[in-house]
Amino acid sequence: MAFAQNLDMLLERVSAAAVKSGRNLTDIEIVPATKTHGKDLIAEIIADGRIKTVGENRVQEFADKFDPRLNFDLIGQLQTNKVKYIADKVRLIHSCDREPLLAEINKRAVNPVKVLIEINTG
């Protein structure tokens, strides 16, 4: 099934859930993960125009798929030695779990990078 058809079905479900919970669909952002999908999916997403941000969890795949017409979030584990490839290209890093990683992000980023901090409460 094509991306647009899948997105149509997802938006129907999300819209129904939003109405049921008293929320507005425009307040909800859908960020599809593109792991294991190629540049063809990125082209479909851009052509469709309804999705503005995608998530990728592999730096190598991210580098191959990067297109400045979309926002990219890095999801999952990030290794310190790979920060240099993504620091100024991502909108958000979804998981930062150690201080050396934060220091490397700070060192490499020309502009501020939004980061979600992972905290072990155990």
Side-chain angles (χ1 to χ4, degrees):
M1 188 176 293
F3 172 78
Q5 292 171 313
N6 284 335
L7 184 57
D8 288 341
M9 291 188 314
L10 176 64
L11 288 173
E12 284 178 27
R13 292 176 62 199
V14 171
S15 181
V19 168
K20 189 175 181 179
S21 66
R23 295 187 65 192
N24 189 332
L25 183 60
T26 59
D27 295 334
I28 300 168
E29 181 181 19
I30 295 171
V31 179
T34 60
K35 178 180 175 181
T36 73
H37 294 279
K39 291 171 110 174
D40 55 328
L41 177 60
I42 298 298
E44 276 188 73
I45 291 169
I46 291 168
D48 181 84
R50 293 179 285 175
I51 296 292
K52 304 298 179 207
T53 303
V54 296
E56 182 56 61
N57 75 331
R58 294 184 177 164
V59 172
Q60 295 87 340
E61 285 189 41
F62 164 81
D64 186 49
K65 295 175 191 174
F66 179 73
D67 188 307
R69 294 175 289 177
L70 285 175
N71 294 315
F72 281 81
D73 288 359
L74 191 74
I75 54 179
Q77 188 75 26
L78 175 60
Q79 296 174 331
T80 306
N81 65 336
K82 296 190 178 172
V83 170
K84 62 187 167 201
Y85 301 112
I86 59 111
D88 288 328
K89 294 181 177 123
V90 297
R91 175 188 79 149
L92 175 66
I93 297 171
H94 280 233
S95 181
C96 188
D97 61 351
R98 56 199 184 286
E99 287 185 43
L101 180 56
L102 280 173
E104 187 66 16
I105 293 166
N106 191 48
K107 175 180 151 187
R108 298 283 182 173
V110 174
N111 297 309
V113 176
K114 292 182 181 180
V115 176
L116 299 178
I117 305 295
E118 181 179 332
I119 299 172
N120 182 352
T121 60

